Amino acid sequence: AILSAINVATTRRSGGSVVFFPSPPLRYRIAQPLVLPPTDHWVQLLLDGTLELQGGPIELQSLYQITGITSGGPFAFSKLAHASIIVQTPQVAPAFLIRKKFSVRIEKVSVRYMRGDANGIEIHDSNDITLNGVHVLMDGANTTGVPLVIRGAFNCLIEECGFGPSALGDAPSILLGTSRETPHSSGSISIRRSFIANNGVKIALDFGANPSCLLSIEQNLFEGYKTALLTIDAHGASVCGIYLFQNLMADPKVISPFPPIISNRGGYVRDVVAIHNNHHGPFVSGPGEPIQSLEVWPLFDSKHGEIGQDTNYIVHWSDRLDIGMPVKFLSTTSFGQQGSAMGAPPSPGDKNY
């Protein structure tokens, strides 16, 4: 009955492209994998009732929008009413699968609890994917499952979501990795105004993979953290173009030492900008080479002032600049001299200081 209704929506050229799942006395029980049919126009599935997945994932095609309404109960840090998707067996791995697709949107849906070693949502070799108001929780015994896995995808927006891996394991909240079919890595990924717990975001690239570029992590709450906000494990590959803005790391579970914002375990990492992130430990640590072109605006001047590397950085303190790289001035003329080019900085005794 579910597929029949969706099939009708995919064949209509005007109107009728919305499939509504009303709230029944019982859940919608799906006993086998649900592979949605292809469509050449947008189809929206409106979930008011709860879906219970028993036999496999929901596999999405391009041009689908799944929107929850009100069936879900209260959910930590959720900002809108949402629909629930209940996972009953380890055979559901993952709950949502997006593979080689474009233009897919999932919003206002909560998924719980991923069992066995299953991941929550997997996005492979796709583009223009949006998750808004999506929450994924793992079963406590599932210590290796990852709430969100993105491999070889680009232009993905994750906004006002929540991801909770098991507190008993080391699996990240979000994994950005290399495609299983090509050397392509994920790029142009934006994670903002979301909630993550226990373990942070991880970039894990295969040796020789294409660069992973353009990652922004903005205004997120990282609660009860055990790891860095961002872990980079990219031996033999490169990562560039990382922007970290106003992230709050709260209630650490590890305090000796505190985890850093970035743990660089290996790979060529460059062009990182971090502005006003609230954290307790150093900015960067790990056995990897120093980040090339690291620029930091700390939120605190003295309490959390350790950068974690000796070269290739600029730190904008409230009263000074710390520069750990060569500086080239355009001329030797004083900064303040009218009509002159910018030159060497004035000394404290200069009238223009």
Side-chain angles (χ1 to χ4, degrees):
I2 292 175
L3 279 178
S4 296
I6 297 173
N7 276 319
V8 172
T10 63
T11 57
R12 290 187 176 178
R13 295 295 176 180
S14 60
S17 294
V18 176
V19 182
F20 179 58
F21 293 77
S23 182
L26 300 175
R27 300 169 179 172
Y28 293 94
R29 291 184 171 87
I30 303 176
Q32 58 188 6
L34 179 61
V35 181
L36 301 183
T39 177
D40 60 1
H41 59 278
W42 277 100
V43 173
Q44 184 179 22
L45 308 184
L46 284 177
L47 306 181
D48 192 26
T50 297
L51 299 188
E52 183 179 299
L53 303 184
Q54 298 178 337
I58 300 173
E59 185 167 352
L60 283 80
Q61 307 290 339
S62 301
L63 299 173
Y64 269 90
Q65 176 177 334
I66 295 182
T67 303
I69 304 179
T70 59
S71 68
F75 203 93
F77 298 100
S78 60
K79 298 175 176 61
L80 296 168
H82 60 276
S84 287
I85 295 181
I86 308 297
V87 176
Q88 293 288 57
T89 66
Q91 285 74 28
V92 180
F96 285 109
L97 176 60
I98 303 171
R99 182 168 49 195
K100 296 183 179 180
K101 300 299 182 287
F102 64 91
S103 299
V104 176
R105 183 181 182 93
I106 306 174
E107 58 185 4
K108 298 188 293 185
V109 171
S110 64
V111 178
R112 48 186 166 183
Y113 296 93
M114 301 308 302
R115 304 177 185 277
D117 58 357
N119 299 321
I121 299 174
E122 294 187 11
I123 302 170
H124 298 267
D125 305 295
S126 300
N127 67 85
D128 294 312
I129 310 299
T130 299
L131 305 182
N132 182 273
V134 175
H135 295 258
V136 183
L137 286 181
M138 318 307 285
D139 183 80
N142 181 359
T143 58
T144 57
V146 180
L148 174 60
V149 175
I150 302 175
R151 291 187 177 276
F154 67 94
N155 199 19
C156 297
L157 172 61
I158 298 98
E159 186 172 37
E160 297 188 341
C161 294
F163 302 105
S166 171
L168 303 177
D170 298 323
S173 293
I174 301 172
L175 175 65
L176 307 177
T178 310
S179 166
R180 292 301 191 195
E181 299 185 21
T182 71
H184 292 98
S185 303
S186 297
S188 191
I189 309 293
S190 178
I191 305 165
R192 64 192 190 200
R193 294 182 56 80
S194 294
F195 167 75
I196 59 178
N198 303 320
N199 306 317
V201 179
K202 183 176 183 179
I203 299 175
L205 304 184
D206 297 340
F207 186 89
N210 290 342
S212 179
C213 298
L214 304 179
L215 167 65
S216 65
I217 303 177
E218 306 175 48
Q219 296 182 320
N220 299 286
L221 171 61
F222 186 13
E223 177 76 17
Y225 64 96
K226 303 187 301 178
T227 71
L229 173 63
L230 176 63
T231 298
I232 300 173
D233 193 347
H235 295 276
S238 63
V239 178
C240 59
I242 296 173
Y243 179 65
L244 308 175
F245 177 69
Q246 290 185 346
N247 295 286
L248 171 60
M249 299 174 68
D251 300 326
K253 294 181 179 177
V254 178
I255 61 174
S256 183
F258 288 110
I261 291 184
I262 293 180
S263 175
N264 183 15
R265 298 182 180 176
Y268 179 65
V269 183
R270 62 169 298 155
D271 302 327
V272 177
V273 175
I275 301 176
H276 296 166
N277 296 280
N278 188 350
H279 63 108
H280 297 82
F283 182 82
V284 61
S285 70
E289 294 295 319
I291 295 172
Q292 302 295 308
S293 185
L294 167 65
E295 192 164 5
V296 180
W297 280 259
L299 186 60
F300 302 104
D301 272 4
S302 58
K303 186 178 179 181
H304 312 306
E306 184 181 351
I307 298 303
Q309 64 181 48
D310 297 326
T311 59
N312 302 306
Y313 67 82
I314 298 176
V315 182
H316 298 253
W317 302 107
S318 61
D319 59 351
R320 69 187 190 279
L321 282 176
D322 283 355
I323 301 176
M325 61 178 64
V327 178
K328 180 179 180 181
F329 293 106
L330 300 181
S331 75
T332 58
T333 309
S334 171
F335 273 98
Q337 185 173 337
Q338 188 174 4
S340 66
M342 182 178 290
S347 64
D350 292 342
K351 65 179 181 179
N352 296 311
Y353 182 72

